[in-house]
Amino acid sequence: CQNPKQQCFEQDPFINAWNFNVDVNMLKVSARILPMPQIIYTNEFHVNNEQFRSSGVWSSTKTQFHRPTKFPPVWALINLSSSLNKESCKAFYEQLRDVAAHRGITCPDPVLYEEYNVQPDSISHMNAALKDMMEKNDDCKFFIVILPENNDIRDQIYGDLKRLCELQFGFGIVTQMIKLKEKEIKNQWNYSRLNNIMMKINIKLDGIN
């Protein structure tokens, strides 16, 4: 067979040896498109054919979680970013609070706000300061931590804080770490991103998405 794109079954010695015949035409089978069934996620949220959107288009639905968590009344917002100041963090919280409300969660203002300009030689000082804060506020059991942009220290800080809060001194403190994306450095947060953060928080605080 000279054309590599053709199978040339009639010239295949193995097929001939077994007296096989291969039809090169594809088999055509009649079919029909079934109507879309109704999908029930929760008592309040059903999806049917009338609500169906274009395929491949994601829609962030503003519906409650299956079991929204009860957000801790005392929690801390820890800002380790060199790009965000207190006002930027306040704007972030307000947007996160609105998304939480859509999902059935009442998110109170952070009781504690700490801001550190962390450098490679000051990580231990930051850890000591946070440990001191935990000692003075033992009723605070949830931290949202905005990590620094510096890749050289971000991974170390992530590990140190996880150990400090969840495994060592602050055993039982739940943490949600946030690695800033480029637009978020300019305080531009989109709904999908905030919704994703809330989904993680809801699971960590014993909710069901």
Side-chain angles (χ1 to χ4, degrees), residues 24-192:
V24 296
N25 297 314
M26 296 292 291
L27 181 65
K28 294 182 179 180
V29 179
S30 59
R32 61 191 178 93
I33 300 176
L34 297 175
M36 176 181 171
Q38 184 182 40
I39 304 174
I40 300 175
Y41 291 97
T42 66
N43 291 334
E44 295 80 18
F45 184 49
H46 298 187
V47 175
N48 53 43
N49 189 43
E50 296 177 355
Q51 297 170 297
F52 185 67
R53 298 173 181 267
S54 301
S55 58
V57 178
W58 177 260
S59 175
S60 297
T61 55
K62 298 180 180 180
T63 56
Q64 288 193 7
F65 289 128
H66 181 70
R67 189 179 73 199
T69 187
K70 185 177 180 181
F71 211 90
V74 180
W75 65 282
L77 178 57
I78 312 298
N79 178 21
L80 306 181
S81 166
S82 59
S83 303
L84 302 183
N85 56 23
K86 187 173 183 178
E87 289 302 313
S88 300
C89 289
K90 181 181 178 182
F92 156 71
Y93 156 72
E94 290 173 347
Q95 294 176 72
L96 187 69
R97 177 196 60 197
D98 292 343
V99 174
H102 294 155
R103 303 304 246 154
I105 298 174
T106 300
C107 182
D109 293 355
V111 174
L112 302 170
Y113 174 83
E114 298 291 336
E115 184 175 319
Y116 302 99
N117 182 17
V118 188
Q119 301 299 324
D121 58 352
S122 64
I123 295 177
S124 60
H125 297 292
M126 179 209 67
N127 289 335
L130 286 177
K131 184 176 179 181
D132 182 63
M133 185 196 76
M134 294 177 196
E135 290 178 340
K136 295 177 179 177
N137 301 275
D138 57 359
D139 57 341
C140 180
K141 296 299 182 183
F142 179 62
F143 289 176
I144 291 181
V145 182
I146 301 177
L147 294 168
E149 294 84 355
N150 187 340
N151 293 328
D152 296 332
I153 61 175
R154 183 170 56 214
D155 290 343
Q156 180 183 345
I157 289 175
Y158 180 94
D160 286 352
L161 289 182
K162 282 291 185 180
R163 283 189 294 271
L164 181 66
C165 295
E166 300 180 11
L167 300 176
Q168 296 177 354
F169 177 79
F171 183 75
I173 295 179
V174 179
T175 59
Q176 177 59 53
M177 307 288 186
I178 298 176
K179 176 183 175 182
L180 291 176
K181 298 182 179 180
E182 185 175 352
K183 288 185 178 180
E184 294 162 357
I185 293 175
K186 301 176 183 178
N187 210 31
Q188 298 176 5
W189 300 83
N190 64 53
Y191 186 92
S192 295

